[in-house]
Coordinates of all heavy atoms in Angstrom, one line a residue:
M114 N 0.8 -1.1 0.0 CA 0.0 0.0 0.0 C 0.9 1.2 0.1 O 1.9 1.4 0.7 CB -0.8 -0.1 1.2 CG -1.8 1.2 1.4 SD -2.9 0.9 2.7 CE -4.2 2.0 2.2
A115 N 0.5 2.2 -0.8 CA 1.3 3.5 -0.8 C 1.1 4.2 0.4 O 0.1 4.3 1.1 CB 0.9 4.2 -2.1
R116 N 2.2 5.0 0.7 CA 2.2 5.9 1.9 C 1.2 7.0 1.5 O 1.3 7.7 0.4 CB 3.5 6.3 2.2 CG 4.4 5.2 2.7 CD 5.9 5.8 3.0 NE 5.8 6.8 3.9 CZ 6.3 6.8 5.1 NH1 7.0 5.7 5.5 NH2 6.2 7.8 5.9
P117 N 0.5 7.5 2.5 CA -0.3 8.7 2.1 C 0.5 10.0 2.0 O 1.6 10.2 2.5 CB -1.1 8.9 3.4 CG -0.6 8.0 4.4 CD 0.4 7.1 3.8
M118 N -0.1 11.0 1.2 CA 0.7 12.2 0.9 C 0.6 12.9 2.0 O -0.5 13.2 2.8 CB -0.1 12.9 -0.3 CG 0.6 14.1 -0.7 SD -0.3 14.9 -2.2 CE 0.6 14.3 -3.5
T119 N 1.8 13.6 2.4 CA 1.8 14.5 3.6 C 1.3 15.9 3.2 O 1.1 16.2 2.0 CB 3.3 14.6 4.1 OG1 4.0 15.2 3.1 CG2 3.8 13.2 4.5
K120 N 1.1 16.8 4.2 CA 0.7 18.0 3.9 C 1.7 18.9 3.1 O 1.4 19.6 2.1 CB 0.3 18.9 5.2 CG -0.1 20.3 4.9 CD -0.4 21.0 6.2 CE -0.9 22.4 5.8 NZ -1.2 23.2 7.0
T121 N 3.0 18.6 3.5 CA 4.1 19.3 2.8 C 4.0 18.9 1.3 O 4.3 19.7 0.4 CB 5.4 19.0 3.4 OG1 5.4 19.3 4.7 CG2 6.6 19.7 2.7
Q122 N 3.9 17.6 1.0 CA 3.8 17.1 -0.4 C 2.6 17.7 -1.0 O 2.7 18.0 -2.3 CB 3.8 15.6 -0.4 CG 5.1 15.0 0.2 CD 5.0 13.4 0.4 OE1 3.8 13.0 0.6 NE2 6.2 12.7 0.1
L123 N 1.6 17.7 -0.4 CA 0.2 18.3 -1.0 C 0.4 19.8 -1.3 O 0.0 20.3 -2.4 CB -0.9 18.0 0.0 CG -2.2 18.5 -0.5 CD1 -2.6 17.9 -1.8 CD2 -3.4 18.3 0.5
V124 N 1.0 20.5 -0.4 CA 1.3 22.0 -0.7 C 2.1 22.2 -1.8 O 1.9 23.0 -2.7 CB 1.7 22.6 0.6 CG1 2.4 24.0 0.3 CG2 0.7 22.8 1.7
A125 N 3.2 21.3 -1.9 CA 4.3 21.4 -3.0 C 3.5 21.1 -4.4 O 3.6 21.8 -5.3 CB 5.3 20.4 -2.9
A126 N 2.7 20.1 -4.4 CA 2.0 19.7 -5.7 C 0.8 20.8 -6.0 O 0.8 21.1 -7.2 CB 1.2 18.4 -5.4
L127 N 0.3 21.4 -5.0 CA -0.8 22.4 -5.2 C -0.1 23.6 -5.8 O -0.5 24.3 -6.7 CB -1.5 22.8 -3.9 CG -2.6 23.7 -3.9 CD1 -3.7 23.3 -5.0 CD2 -3.2 23.9 -2.6
A128 N 1.0 24.0 -5.2 CA 1.8 25.2 -5.7 C 2.2 25.0 -7.2 O 2.2 25.9 -7.9 CB 3.1 25.4 -4.7
E129 N 2.7 23.7 -7.6 CA 3.1 23.5 -8.9 C 1.9 23.6 -9.9 O 2.0 24.2 -10.8 CB 3.7 22.1 -8.9 CG 4.3 21.8 -10.3 CD 4.9 20.5 -10.4 OE1 5.6 20.0 -9.4 OE2 4.8 19.8 -11.3
E130 N 0.8 23.0 -9.3 CA -0.4 23.0 -10.3 C -0.9 24.4 -10.4 O -1.5 24.8 -11.4 CB -1.5 22.1 -9.6 CG -2.7 22.0 -10.3 CD -2.5 20.9 -11.6 OE1 -1.5 20.2 -11.6 OE2 -3.2 21.0 -12.5
M131 N -0.9 25.3 -9.4 CA -1.4 26.6 -9.4 C -0.4 27.6 -10.1 O -0.6 28.6 -10.4 CB -1.6 27.2 -8.0 CG -2.7 26.5 -7.3 SD -2.9 27.0 -5.5 CE -2.8 28.8 -5.6
G132 N 0.8 27.1 -10.3 CA 2.0 28.0 -10.8 C 2.2 29.1 -9.8 O 2.4 30.3 -10.2
S133 N 2.3 28.7 -8.6 CA 2.4 29.7 -7.5 C 3.5 29.2 -6.6 O 4.1 28.2 -6.8 CB 1.1 29.9 -6.8 OG 1.2 30.6 -5.6
D134 N 3.7 30.1 -5.5 CA 4.8 29.7 -4.4 C 4.1 28.8 -3.5 O 2.9 28.7 -3.3 CB 5.5 30.9 -3.8 CG 4.4 31.8 -3.2 OD1 3.6 32.3 -3.8 OD2 4.7 32.0 -1.9
K135 N 4.9 28.1 -2.6 CA 4.3 27.2 -1.5 C 3.6 27.9 -0.5 O 2.6 27.4 0.1 CB 5.5 26.4 -1.0 CG 6.1 25.4 -2.0 CD 7.2 24.5 -1.2 CE 7.8 23.6 -2.2 NZ 9.0 22.9 -1.7
K136 N 4.1 29.2 -0.1 CA 3.2 29.9 0.9 C 2.0 30.2 0.5 O 1.0 30.0 1.3 CB 4.1 31.1 1.2 CG 3.5 32.0 2.3 CD 4.4 33.2 2.7 CE 3.7 33.9 4.1 NZ 4.6 34.9 4.4
S137 N 1.6 30.6 -0.7 CA 0.3 30.9 -1.0 C -0.6 29.6 -1.2 O -1.7 29.7 -1.0 CB 0.2 31.8 -2.3 OG 0.8 31.2 -3.4
A138 N 0.0 28.6 -1.6 CA -0.6 27.3 -1.7 C -1.0 26.8 -0.4 O -2.1 26.3 -0.3 CB 0.3 26.3 -2.5
S139 N 0.0 27.1 0.5 CA -0.5 26.6 1.9 C -1.5 27.3 2.5 O -2.4 26.8 3.2 CB 0.9 26.7 2.8 OG 0.6 26.4 4.1
T140 N -1.7 28.7 2.3 CA -2.6 29.6 2.8 C -3.9 29.2 2.1 O -4.9 29.1 2.8 CB -2.2 31.0 2.3 OG1 -1.0 31.4 3.0 CG2 -3.4 32.0 2.9
A141 N -3.9 28.9 0.8 CA -5.2 28.5 0.1 C -5.7 27.1 0.6 O -6.9 27.0 1.0 CB -4.9 28.3 -1.3
L142 N -4.7 26.1 1.0 CA -5.2 25.0 1.4 C -5.7 25.0 3.0 O -6.8 24.5 3.2 CB -3.9 23.9 1.5 CG -4.2 22.5 2.1 CD1 -5.4 21.9 1.3 CD2 -2.9 21.7 2.2
D143 N -5.1 25.8 3.8 CA -5.6 26.1 5.1 C -7.0 26.8 5.0 O -7.8 26.4 5.9 CB -4.5 27.0 5.8 CG -3.4 26.3 6.3 OD1 -3.3 25.0 6.1 OD2 -2.3 27.0 6.5
A144 N -7.2 27.7 4.1 CA -8.5 28.3 4.0 C -9.7 27.4 3.6 O -10.7 27.4 4.1 CB -8.3 29.5 3.0
V145 N -9.2 26.4 2.6 CA -10.2 25.3 2.3 C -10.6 24.5 3.4 O -11.7 24.2 3.7 CB -9.7 24.6 1.0 CG1 -10.6 23.4 0.8 CG2 -9.6 25.5 -0.2
V146 N -9.6 24.1 4.1 CA -9.7 23.3 5.2 C -10.7 23.9 6.3 O -11.6 23.3 6.9 CB -8.5 22.8 6.0 CG1 -8.7 22.1 7.2 CG2 -7.8 21.9 5.0
A147 N -10.3 25.2 6.6 CA -11.2 26.1 7.6 C -12.8 26.2 7.1 O -13.5 25.9 7.9 CB -10.6 27.4 7.7
I148 N -12.8 26.3 5.8 CA -14.2 26.5 5.4 C -15.0 25.2 5.5 O -16.1 25.2 5.9 CB -14.3 27.0 3.8 CG1 -13.8 28.4 3.8 CG2 -15.7 26.8 3.2 CD1 -13.5 28.8 2.4
I149 N -14.4 24.1 5.2 CA -15.0 22.7 5.2 C -15.3 22.4 6.7 O -16.4 22.0 7.1 CB -14.1 21.7 4.6 CG1 -14.0 21.9 3.2 CG2 -14.6 20.3 5.0 CD1 -13.0 21.0 2.5
T150 N -14.3 22.7 7.5 CA -14.6 22.5 9.1 C -15.7 23.3 9.6 O -16.4 22.7 10.3 CB -13.3 22.9 9.9 OG1 -12.1 22.1 9.3 CG2 -13.4 22.5 11.3
N151 N -15.8 24.6 9.3 CA -16.8 25.4 9.7 C -18.2 25.0 9.2 O -19.2 24.9 10.1 CB -16.6 26.8 9.4 CG -15.5 27.5 10.2 OD1 -15.1 27.1 11.3 ND2 -15.0 28.5 9.5
E152 N -18.3 24.6 8.0 CA -19.5 24.2 7.4 C -20.1 22.9 8.0 O -21.2 22.7 8.4 CB -19.4 24.2 5.9 CG -20.7 23.7 5.1 CD -21.8 24.9 5.3 OE1 -21.4 26.1 5.6 OE2 -23.0 24.5 5.2
V153 N -19.2 21.8 8.1 CA -19.5 20.5 8.6 C -19.8 20.6 10.1 O -20.7 20.0 10.5 CB -18.4 19.5 8.2 CG1 -18.8 18.1 8.8 CG2 -18.3 19.3 6.7
S154 N -19.1 21.3 10.9 CA -19.3 21.4 12.3 C -20.7 22.1 12.6 O -21.1 21.9 13.6 CB -18.2 22.0 13.0 OG -18.0 23.3 12.6
G155 N -21.0 23.0 11.7 CA -22.3 23.7 11.9 C -23.5 22.9 11.3 O -24.7 23.3 11.3
G156 N -23.3 21.7 10.9 CA -24.3 20.6 10.5 C -24.6 20.8 9.1 O -25.4 20.0 8.6
G157 N -23.8 21.4 8.3 CA -23.9 21.6 6.8 C -23.1 20.3 6.2 O -22.6 19.5 6.9
A158 N -23.0 20.5 4.8 CA -22.4 19.7 4.0 C -21.5 20.4 2.9 O -21.8 21.5 2.6 CB -23.3 18.6 3.3
V159 N -20.5 19.8 2.6 CA -19.6 20.4 1.5 C -19.3 19.3 0.4 O -19.0 18.2 0.6 CB -18.2 20.8 2.0 CG1 -17.2 21.4 0.9 CG2 -18.4 21.9 3.2
T160 N -19.7 19.8 -0.8 CA -19.4 18.8 -2.0 C -18.2 19.4 -2.8 O -18.0 20.4 -3.1 CB -20.6 18.9 -3.0 OG1 -21.8 18.4 -2.3 CG2 -20.4 17.9 -4.2
L161 N -17.2 18.5 -2.9 CA -15.9 18.8 -3.7 C -16.1 18.1 -4.9 O -16.1 16.9 -5.0 CB -14.8 18.3 -3.0 CG -14.5 18.9 -1.5 CD1 -13.4 18.0 -0.8 CD2 -14.2 20.4 -1.6
P162 N -16.5 18.8 -6.1 CA -16.7 18.3 -7.3 C -15.6 17.4 -7.7 O -14.4 17.7 -7.6 CB -16.7 19.5 -8.2 CG -17.0 20.6 -7.4 CD -16.3 20.3 -6.1
G163 N -15.9 16.1 -8.1 CA -14.9 15.1 -8.6 C -14.3 14.3 -7.5 O -13.7 13.4 -7.7
V164 N -14.5 14.8 -6.2 CA -13.9 14.1 -5.0 C -14.9 13.4 -4.2 O -15.0 12.2 -3.9 CB -13.0 15.1 -4.1 CG1 -12.5 14.5 -2.9 CG2 -11.9 15.7 -5.0
G165 N -15.9 14.2 -3.7 CA -17.0 13.6 -2.9 C -17.7 14.6 -2.1 O -17.6 15.8 -2.2
K166 N -18.4 14.1 -1.1 CA -19.4 15.1 -0.3 C -18.9 14.7 1.2 O -19.0 13.6 1.6 CB -20.8 14.8 -0.5 CG -21.8 15.6 0.4 CD -23.2 15.2 0.1 CE -24.2 15.9 0.9 NZ -25.5 15.6 0.7
I167 N -18.7 15.7 1.9 CA -18.3 15.6 3.3 C -19.5 16.1 4.1 O -20.0 17.3 3.9 CB -17.1 16.4 3.7 CG1 -15.8 16.0 2.9 CG2 -16.7 16.2 5.1 CD1 -14.6 16.8 2.8
Y168 N -19.8 15.4 5.2 CA -21.1 15.7 6.0 C -21.0 15.3 7.3 O -20.2 14.3 7.7 CB -22.4 15.3 5.3 CG -22.5 13.9 5.0 CD1 -23.1 13.0 5.8 CD2 -21.9 13.2 3.9 CE1 -23.2 11.7 5.7 CE2 -22.0 11.9 3.6 CZ -22.7 11.1 4.6 OH -22.7 9.8 4.5
C169 N -21.8 15.7 8.2 CA -22.0 15.2 9.6 C -23.3 14.5 9.8 O -24.4 14.9 9.4 CB -21.9 16.4 10.5 SG -22.0 16.0 12.3
R170 N -23.1 13.3 10.5 CA -24.3 12.4 10.7 C -24.5 12.3 12.1 O -23.4 12.0 12.8 CB -24.2 11.1 10.0 CG -25.4 10.2 10.0 CD -25.1 9.0 9.1 NE -24.2 8.1 9.9 CZ -24.6 7.1 10.8 NH1 -25.9 7.0 11.0 NH2 -23.6 6.4 11.4
E171 N -25.7 12.3 12.7 CA -25.8 12.0 14.1 C -26.1 10.5 14.3 O -26.9 9.9 13.5 CB -27.1 12.7 14.6 CG -26.9 14.2 14.6 CD -28.0 15.0 15.2 OE1 -28.8 14.5 15.9 OE2 -28.0 16.3 15.0
R172 N -25.5 9.9 15.5 CA -25.8 8.6 15.7 C -26.6 8.5 17.0 O -26.3 9.3 17.8 CB -24.4 7.9 16.0 CG -23.7 7.7 14.7 CD -22.5 6.6 14.9 NE -21.5 7.0 15.9 CZ -20.3 6.5 16.0 NH1 -19.9 5.4 15.2 NH2 -19.5 6.9 16.9
P173 N -27.5 7.7 17.0 CA -28.4 7.6 18.2 C -27.7 7.0 19.3 O -26.6 6.3 19.2 CB -29.6 6.6 17.7 CG -29.0 5.8 16.7 CD -27.9 6.6 15.9
E174 N -28.4 7.1 20.5 CA -27.8 6.5 21.6 C -27.9 4.9 21.5 O -28.8 4.4 20.8 CB -28.7 6.7 22.8 CG -28.4 6.2 24.2 CD -29.3 6.7 25.3 OE1 -29.1 7.8 25.8 OE2 -30.3 5.9 25.5
R175 N -26.8 4.2 21.9 CA -26.9 2.7 21.6 C -26.1 1.9 22.7 O -25.3 2.5 23.5 CB -26.3 2.4 20.3 CG -24.8 2.8 20.2 CD -24.4 3.2 18.7 NE -22.9 3.5 18.6 CZ -22.5 4.7 18.8 NH1 -23.3 5.7 19.1 NH2 -21.2 5.0 18.6
M176 N -26.2 0.6 22.6 CA -25.4 -0.3 23.6 C -24.1 -0.8 22.9 O -24.2 -1.1 21.8 CB -26.3 -1.4 24.0 CG -27.5 -1.1 24.9 SD -27.1 -0.2 26.4 CE -26.5 -1.4 27.4
V177 N -23.1 -0.6 23.6 CA -21.7 -1.1 23.0 C -21.1 -2.1 24.1 O -21.5 -2.0 25.2 CB -20.8 0.1 22.7 CG1 -21.4 1.0 21.6 CG2 -20.5 1.0 24.0
R178 N -20.1 -2.8 23.6 CA -19.5 -3.9 24.5 C -18.2 -3.4 24.5 O -17.3 -3.1 23.6 CB -19.6 -5.3 23.8 CG -19.0 -6.3 24.6 CD -19.2 -7.7 23.9 NE -18.2 -7.8 22.8 CZ -17.0 -8.1 23.0 NH1 -16.5 -8.5 24.1 NH2 -16.2 -8.3 21.9
N179 N -17.6 -3.4 25.9 CA -16.2 -3.1 26.1 C -15.4 -4.5 25.9 O -15.7 -5.5 26.4 CB -16.1 -2.9 27.7 CG -14.6 -2.7 28.1 OD1 -13.8 -3.0 27.5 ND2 -14.5 -2.0 29.2
P180 N -14.5 -4.4 24.8 CA -14.0 -5.6 24.4 C -12.9 -6.3 25.5 O -12.7 -7.4 25.4 CB -13.1 -5.1 23.2 CG -13.1 -3.6 23.2 CD -14.0 -3.1 24.1
A181 N -12.5 -5.5 26.4 CA -11.6 -6.1 27.4 C -12.4 -6.9 28.5 O -11.9 -7.9 28.9 CB -10.9 -5.0 28.2
T182 N -13.6 -6.4 28.9 CA -14.4 -7.0 29.9 C -15.6 -7.7 29.4 O -16.3 -8.6 30.1 CB -14.7 -6.1 31.0 OG1 -15.7 -5.1 30.3 CG2 -13.7 -5.4 31.6
G183 N -16.0 -7.4 28.1 CA -17.3 -8.0 27.6 C -18.5 -7.3 28.1 O -19.8 -7.7 28.0
E184 N -18.4 -6.4 29.1 CA -19.4 -5.7 29.7 C -20.3 -4.8 28.7 O -19.7 -4.0 27.9 CB -18.9 -4.7 30.8 CG -20.0 -3.8 31.5 CD -19.4 -2.9 32.5 OE1 -18.1 -2.7 32.5 OE2 -20.2 -2.3 33.2
Q185 N -21.5 -4.7 28.8 CA -22.3 -3.9 27.9 C -22.5 -2.6 28.7 O -22.8 -2.5 29.7 CB -23.7 -4.5 27.7 CG -23.7 -5.8 26.8 CD -23.7 -5.5 25.4 OE1 -24.1 -4.4 24.9 NE2 -23.2 -6.5 24.7
I186 N -22.2 -1.4 27.8 CA -22.5 -0.1 28.4 C -23.3 0.7 27.4 O -23.2 0.5 26.2 CB -21.1 0.6 28.7 CG1 -20.3 0.6 27.6 CG2 -20.6 -0.1 30.0 CD1 -18.9 1.4 27.9
K187 N -23.9 1.7 27.9 CA -24.8 2.6 27.1 C -23.9 3.7 26.6 O -23.2 4.4 27.5 CB -26.0 3.0 27.9 CG -26.9 4.0 27.1 CD -28.1 4.4 27.8 CE -27.6 5.6 28.7 NZ -28.7 6.3 29.3
K188 N -23.9 4.0 25.3 CA -23.1 5.1 24.7 C -24.0 6.2 24.3 O -25.0 5.9 23.6 CB -22.3 4.7 23.6 CG -21.4 5.6 22.9 CD -20.3 5.1 22.1 CE -19.5 6.1 21.3 NZ -19.0 7.2 21.9
D189 N -23.8 7.4 24.7 CA -24.7 8.5 24.3 C -24.7 8.8 22.9 O -23.8 8.4 22.2 CB -24.3 9.8 25.2 CG -24.5 9.6 26.7 OD1 -25.3 8.8 27.1 OD2 -23.7 10.2 27.5
A190 N -25.7 9.6 22.5 CA -25.7 9.9 21.1 C -24.6 10.9 20.8 O -24.2 11.7 21.6 CB -27.0 10.7 20.8
D191 N -24.1 10.8 19.5 CA -23.0 11.6 19.2 C -23.1 11.8 17.7 O -24.0 11.4 17.0 CB -21.6 10.9 19.6 CG -21.4 9.7 18.9 OD1 -22.3 9.1 18.3 OD2 -20.3 9.2 18.9
K192 N -22.1 12.6 17.2 CA -22.1 13.0 15.8 C -20.8 12.4 15.2 O -19.7 12.3 15.9 CB -22.0 14.5 15.5 CG -23.3 15.1 15.9 CD -23.3 16.6 15.8 CE -24.5 17.2 16.4 NZ -24.5 18.8 16.2
V193 N -20.8 12.0 13.9 CA -19.6 11.5 13.2 C -19.6 12.2 11.8 O -20.6 12.3 11.2 CB -19.7 10.0 13.1 CG1 -20.9 9.6 12.3 CG2 -18.4 9.4 12.6
V194 N -18.4 12.5 11.5 CA -18.1 13.0 10.1 C -18.0 11.9 9.1 O -17.3 11.0 9.3 CB -16.8 13.9 10.0 CG1 -16.6 14.5 8.7 CG2 -16.9 15.1 11.1
K195 N -18.7 12.0 8.0 CA -18.7 11.0 7.0 C -18.3 11.6 5.5 O -18.4 12.9 5.5 CB -20.1 10.5 6.7 CG -20.6 9.5 8.0 CD -19.8 8.2 7.9 CE -20.6 7.3 9.0 NZ -20.0 6.0 8.9
M196 N -17.8 10.7 4.7 CA -17.6 11.3 3.3 C -18.1 10.2 2.3 O -17.7 9.0 2.5 CB -16.1 11.5 3.2 CG -15.8 12.1 1.9 SD -14.0 12.6 1.8 CE -14.1 13.3 0.1
T197 N -18.8 10.7 1.4 CA -19.3 10.0 0.2 C -18.5 10.2 -0.9 O -18.2 11.4 -1.3 CB -20.8 10.2 0.0 OG1 -21.5 10.0 1.1 CG2 -21.1 9.3 -1.2
I198 N -17.7 9.2 -1.5 CA -16.7 9.3 -2.7 C -17.7 9.5 -4.0 O -18.5 8.9 -4.2 CB -15.9 8.2 -2.8 CG1 -15.1 8.0 -1.4 CG2 -14.9 8.5 -3.8 CD1 -14.4 9.2 -0.9
A199 N -17.2 10.6 -4.7 CA -17.9 10.8 -6.0 C -17.7 9.6 -7.0 O -16.6 8.9 -7.0 CB -17.3 12.1 -6.6
K200 N -18.7 9.3 -7.9 CA -18.5 8.3 -8.8 C -17.3 8.4 -9.8 O -16.6 7.5 -10.1 CB -19.8 8.2 -9.6 CG -19.8 7.0 -10.6 CD -21.2 7.0 -11.3 CE -21.4 5.8 -12.1 NZ -20.3 5.2 -12.8
A201 N -17.1 9.7 -10.2 CA -16.0 9.9 -11.1 C -14.7 9.5 -10.4 O -13.8 8.9 -11.2 CB -15.9 11.5 -11.3
L202 N -14.4 9.7 -9.1 CA -13.2 9.3 -8.5 C -13.2 7.8 -8.4 O -12.2 7.2 -8.6 CB -13.1 9.9 -7.2 CG -11.9 9.6 -6.3 CD1 -10.5 10.0 -7.1 CD2 -11.9 10.3 -5.0
K203 N -14.3 7.2 -8.1 CA -14.4 5.7 -7.9 C -14.0 5.1 -9.3 O -13.2 4.1 -9.3 CB -15.7 5.2 -7.6 CG -16.1 5.4 -6.1 CD -17.5 4.8 -5.9 CE -18.0 5.3 -4.5 NZ -19.4 4.9 -4.4
D204 N -14.6 5.6 -10.3 CA -14.3 5.0 -11.8 C -12.9 5.2 -12.1 O -12.2 4.4 -12.7 CB -15.2 5.7 -12.7 CG -16.6 5.5 -12.6 OD1 -17.0 4.4 -11.8 OD2 -17.6 6.0 -13.2
S205 N -12.2 6.4 -11.7 CA -10.8 6.7 -12.2 C -9.9 5.6 -11.3 O -8.8 5.2 -11.8 CB -10.4 8.0 -11.9 OG -10.3 8.2 -10.5
V206 N -10.3 5.3 -10.2 CA -9.4 4.4 -9.4 C -9.6 3.0 -9.9 O -8.6 2.1 -9.9 CB -9.8 4.5 -7.8 CG1 -9.1 3.3 -7.1 CG2 -9.5 5.9 -7.2
N207 N -10.9 2.5 -10.2 CA -11.0 1.2 -10.7 C -10.8 1.0 -12.2 O -10.9 -0.1 -12.6 CB -12.5 0.9 -10.4 CG -12.8 0.7 -8.9 OD1 -11.9 0.1 -8.2 ND2 -13.9 1.1 -8.5
G208 N -10.3 2.1 -12.8 CA -9.9 2.0 -14.1 C -10.8 1.7 -15.1 O -10.7 1.2 -16.2

């Protein structure tokens, strides 16, 4: 399995793609991440064309099992961030 791209590598690739310097590419990446974080944490969703949709989903209260002891405990309702991958990206990966 290939190693994941680091932020430094992503910034360098983004700077090259934009024809810009790494500092402005890093600022642009940080701005996109901040916008996605604010929107999803506020209960909204963000669609990245060709990549997918990032959204927040609420999970109901449920019973879970402690794997160490086998004891059943009640877990309160919480929220989880999900991402649905776009069909175009799936098709490009599966060739």
Side-chain angles (χ1 to χ4, degrees):
M114 182 177 199
R116 294 179 57 120
M118 184 180 265
T119 64
K120 181 179 178 182
T121 304
Q122 293 168 331
L123 181 58
V124 167
L127 185 59
E129 184 178 323
E130 189 71 26
M131 291 172 45
S133 171
D134 61 300
K135 290 180 183 179
K136 185 172 182 173
S137 61
S139 179
T140 303
L142 180 61
D143 290 342
V145 169
V146 170
I148 291 168
I149 292 170
T150 302
N151 289 336
E152 185 64 27
V153 173
S154 66
V159 175
T160 300
L161 300 172
V164 176
K166 179 179 178 182
I167 303 170
Y168 59 95
C169 185
R170 186 178 73 90
E171 292 188 21
R172 289 196 296 194
E174 182 178 278
R175 62 200 183 280
M176 295 300 289
V177 296
R178 186 178 71 84
N179 180 337
T182 64
E184 175 189 6
Q185 292 280 337
I186 53 176
K187 183 177 79 169
K188 182 161 172 53
D189 294 333
D191 61 351
K192 295 179 183 178
V193 63
V194 176
K195 294 283 191 174
M196 182 168 184
T197 304
I198 305 302
K200 185 177 184 326
L202 182 57
K203 285 181 192 175
D204 291 346
S205 71
V206 169
N207 291 322

